[in-house]
Amino acid sequence: MKKNKKMWGLIAVFLVGIGLLYTFQSCSHKEIYIKSKLLKNCQNDRLTIDNLDIGHVWDSILIIKPYDDVDNYHIQLEESDKQAINTYADFDSTCTLVFLFKGKLVAYTTIPRTEVVDFVTTKKTQYARTETFEIIDKKAYDLNS
């Protein structure tokens, strides 16, 4: 009788462990929140991103605009990240910044278009870390265009 209880207890712990592992694996750990850092980098009608600390090494950003599909950009993504980014792209009120290192996703964040900076006005979709944006009425424009 004691062996049976012990065995069922071990099975229960095992199943809970597998459930937790599945939950953590399916959740994205790549979403970051940098709204305040981005606001600090907006000075004198310019937005610089080269010193933006996101907690990861990165070399470029990809701007996913509303109603865009991340599949169009041929970057390596886990399915959970792809679904999350595409879900955010379904909203007209946000743009998603995807931080890349050597073409691979390292982190992403959603940026409210009316609160921080509206990236819909940019001409390109991918920018090197060293690029700067011109900000006019909270809208980002390519500085070199």
Side-chain angles (χ1 to χ4, degrees), residues 5-56:
K5 283 185 180 181
K6 196 174 192 179
M7 184 177 74
W8 283 112
L10 287 173
I11 290 172
V13 168
F14 177 74
L15 291 175
V16 168
I18 290 202
L20 288 173
L21 181 64
Y22 177 76
T23 300
F24 288 127
Q25 181 184 10
S26 64
C27 292
S28 172
H29 296 289
K30 295 185 176 125
E31 186 171 10
I32 57 172
Y33 304 95
I34 60 163
K35 186 170 106 174
S36 61
K37 290 179 182 180
L38 204 57
L39 282 169
K40 285 180 187 176
N41 282 23
C42 290
Q43 296 178 359
N44 300 326
D45 298 327
R46 298 281 190 265
L47 169 63
T48 57
I49 58 172
D50 62 340
N51 63 345
L52 200 55
D53 179 16
I54 65 164
H56 303 277

Side-chain angles (χ1 to χ4, degrees), residues 30 32 34 38 47 49 52 60-65 85 95-100 105 107-111 117 119 125 127 133:
K30 295 185 176 125
I32 57 172
I34 60 163
L38 204 57
L47 169 63
I49 58 172
L52 200 55
S60 62
I61 61 167
L62 180 65
I63 298 172
I64 307 293
K65 298 174 182 177
I85 291 169
C95 287
T96 303
L97 301 182
V98 177
F99 293 87
L100 304 169
L105 175 133
Y108 65 90
T109 189
T110 56
I111 303 297
V117 175
F119 287 97
T125 53
Y127 292 87
F133 299 93

